[in-house]
Amino acid sequence: MRKTKLPGGEAVPVLGLGTWRMGEDRSKRKTEVAALRTGIELGMTLIDTAEMYADGGAEEVVGAAVDGRRDEVFIVTKFYPQNATRARMAAACDRSLKRLGTDRIDLYLLHWRGDVPLRETMAGFDDLLDAEKIRYAGVSNFDIDDLEELARLKDGLKRVVTDQVLYNLERRGVEWDLLPWCRKRHRPIVAYSPLEEGLLSHRDHPALKVVADRHDVTAAQVALAWVLRDGDVIAIPKSARPAHVRENAAAAEIRLTKRDLAELDDSFPAPSDRKPLETR
Ligand code: NAP
């Protein structure tokens, strides 16, 4: 699996595994765990989850999937904005660790910006980093002004290694300013909903179909290869089906040509001005 680097030099795979909507139905757990294990075996060892997903149920699925292979994976989880105070972060982190069945979270993200001052959340991150309960800190759904505010805090940006944002062929707004801003500071972004919640896997879009046919791959694979085209963006497609996970993993091998990219640009245009960050 291709990799990119976090600030500090640690390499992480460019394709990981999403878990939103996992853990909601006990009868599906076996398949969900199997899908995550399939991904881990194929090198998609970055697993994204959150305390929010299924009220912690998704973290439990991740815990089951990584049981016995904790050292092979890079676990990302997120806490609610209302838990972004020092005291509440400590408690939320302990709950997540328990559900994940581990002693450390590799990357801990503020899920979205709330009312707690950023300075307080940064202090909470410091506590957790010092206690070695988390290895890296980050944010999600931060628009450029939030990142700027963060960067103005003493050591603010030093702590934060990524911004996890909505990014796919249909949602290219971050290319205007957020993606270049992060690139300049050597922070990879994590692209969530890279398949636009599955919509981009349908072959009824003419441009996707043409490019997919040219490479003899699926529309979903083209959509993922497009997110990965520059090598420094991490995509975390979610699939609860091992067959889809295998298909997604293979997308990392697809190199889109200039012609492919130009055709996709025609159908899914790049932003022509600044827009507020889109979120789910
Ligand atoms: P997504 O990954 O864009 O799409 C997931 C959907 O695509 C599922 O319905 C899945 O169905 C389907 N799918 C996956 N691979 C496929 C394939 N090869 N062919 C056809 N269909 C395929 O959407 P997402 O779940 O919203 O985003 C991915 C992850 O990002 C989430 O799971 C979560 O971890 C994270 N996320 C973060 C935020 C945030 O605020 N930070 C927000 C949203 C999502 P099957 O399961 O049936 O394969």
Side-chain angles (χ1 to χ4, degrees), residues 7-19:
E10 181 163 341
V12 287
V14 291
L15 255 186
L17 299 159
T19 63

Side-chain angles (χ1 to χ4, degrees), residues 20 48 140-141 164 193 195 236 238-241 244 248:
W20 190 19
D48 179 79
S140 179
N141 297 302
Q164 183 180 122
S193 304
L195 296 171
I236 47 167
K238 172 261 167 185
S239 178
R241 295 168 206 254
H244 280 170
N248 296 346

Side-chain angles (χ1 to χ4, degrees), residues 56-266:
E59 289 183 327
E60 287 172 4
V61 173
V62 174
V66 306
D67 189 26
R69 48 199 325 175
R70 174 66 185 92
D71 292 343
E72 294 167 52
V73 296
F74 187 95
I75 298 177
V76 184
T77 192
K78 318 183 198 77
F79 54 98
Y80 278 117
Q82 60 268 34
N83 287 338
T85 64
R86 267 177 104 162
R88 292 180 71 106
M89 275 170 82
C93 182
D94 283 344
R95 288 193 299 269
S96 287
L97 286 169
K98 195 164 174 220
R99 288 188 290 258
L100 290 161
T102 183
D103 60 352
R104 66 203 184 276
I105 289 161
D106 295 292
L107 174 57
Y108 202 34
L109 307 180
L110 170 59
H111 208 148
W112 65 90
R113 184 98 196 255
D115 297 333
V116 178
L118 282 182
R119 190 181 304 278
E120 163 101 13
T121 306
M122 293 302 122
F125 277 139
D126 282 344
D127 293 344
L128 296 173
L129 288 161
D130 287 347
E132 298 184 357
K133 290 186 176 182
I134 67 170
R135 297 178 56 236
Y136 296 98
V139 293
S140 179
N141 297 302
F142 265 43
D143 206 345
I144 197 88
D145 49 340
D146 302 310
L147 290 172
E148 297 274 12
E149 187 182 330
L150 186 69
R152 282 194 298 273
L153 294 181
K154 185 173 175 289
D155 291 338
L157 196 62
K158 200 169 133 197
R159 295 185 193 86
V160 166
V161 299
T162 190
D163 189 7
Q164 183 180 122
V165 291
L166 176 60
Y167 183 46
N168 62 49
L169 273 166
E170 298 265 16
R171 316 273 186 170
R172 297 183 61 172
V174 299
E175 288 174 34
W176 184 257
D177 50 6
L178 194 145
L179 185 52
W181 194 96
C182 290
R183 274 197 176 125
K184 196 168 159 200
R185 291 156 183 84
H186 308 290
R187 262 96 188 131
I189 66 159
V190 177
Y192 74 70
S193 304
L195 296 171
E196 185 62 8
E197 295 191 324
L199 288 179
L200 290 166
S201 66
H202 302 302
R203 294 173 64 88
D204 49 7
H205 197 290
L208 268 180
K209 181 169 168 24
V210 166
V211 176
D213 286 349
R214 193 179 292 137
H215 289 264
D216 197 17
V217 298
T218 66
Q221 288 175 311
V222 172
L224 291 176
W226 179 86
V227 173
L228 303 181
R229 68 200 180 284
D230 291 319
D232 61 349
V233 171
I234 299 163
I236 47 167
K238 172 261 167 185
S239 178
R241 295 168 206 254
H244 280 170
V245 174
R246 276 191 280 277
E247 188 181 315
N248 296 346
E253 304 306 318
I254 302 166
R255 302 293 173 154
L256 298 177
T257 63
K258 280 190 180 155
R259 181 181 169 199
D260 299 330
L261 294 173
E263 287 174 8
L264 291 169
D265 279 345
D266 283 344

